[in-house]
Each structure stands twice: as C-alpha cells, then as structure tokens.
Amino acid sequence: MTTPAAPRPSVLFVCVHNAGRSQMGAAFLSHLGRDRVEVRSAGSAPADAVNPAVVTAMAEVGIDISAETPKVLTTEAVRSSDVVITMGCGDACPVFPGKRYLDWRLDDPAGRGTDAVRPIRDEIERRVRGLLAELGVPAAP
C-alpha cells in the first residue's frame, strides 16, 4: 500500500501591478520548487504587460517569463493559497483568517532599467530559497 502524497503548499505573490516583483517571485518559486509547490501571482491594479527590464533580468538567470501576463488579484486566489506574500500592495490585499501572510518590502522595479532590477531579483531569489526551506521543499539545482 502506498502512502498518499502530501498536499503541495500553495503560494500567492501579490504586488500592485503584477509586472515586476510578484512575477519574479512566482517565477523563482516555480523554477526552484518545480512541481512541488503550487504558485500564483496577481496584482491589485495589474499592468498591461510585464516590465521588460524584469523579463531581461530573469532571462539572465535562465528563467523565461516573456510569455507571462499580469493578472488581477481575486479573493479566490487568496482563499486558495496557504501563504500570501505581499510586495507593496498595501490595503488592497484581502486578509483571511488562517492564512500565512509575509510582507516582503522590496524596491519597485517599475520604470527602472535592468541594472537596477538585478539587485531586486537577487534578493527575491534569496527570499524564495528561504521560503522553500521553511516549507520543507528542496530547491532544484
């Protein structure tokens, strides 16, 4: 008899435009967590497209997010996530009892070039690796 698989933790990254920080967080978690974590991202006021400097910075580390599009934050996305990571969405993020909320204060890459985005990207990767360790999910090499 096989043991049932443990449920995958689900994580939602939220920022205002879902065009920079939350996209990088979701991309790193998907890349490093593989299929062991369910990943979502959304914005309280989504932009029309992902920030091109963010796309370039992520491509530099081998992660292609060029096909991603900003998504609107819904209460259902929050409700169905175990961990909600806010990145500057302020009061627009709905709060539900029993959810784990983390507020990652990071510079907003909006309107910045790739050189300015790199340190933000690297800090997000560092935090995502820490999150994976907290969730007991081994990071992919």
Side-chain angles (χ1 to χ4, degrees), residues 15-19 42-49 69-73:
C15 67
V16 175
H17 301 298
N18 190 222
S44 53
D48 293 330
T69 56
K71 294 166 270 319
V72 69
L73 176 64

Side-chain angles (χ1 to χ4, degrees), residues 24 28 57-58 60-61 117-125:
M24 288 189 282
F28 273 122
M58 292 301 288
E60 290 175 351
V61 295
V117 171
R118 285 184 190 110
I120 301 167
R121 173 202 66 200
D122 295 345
E123 177 60 16
I124 290 171
E125 179 182 11

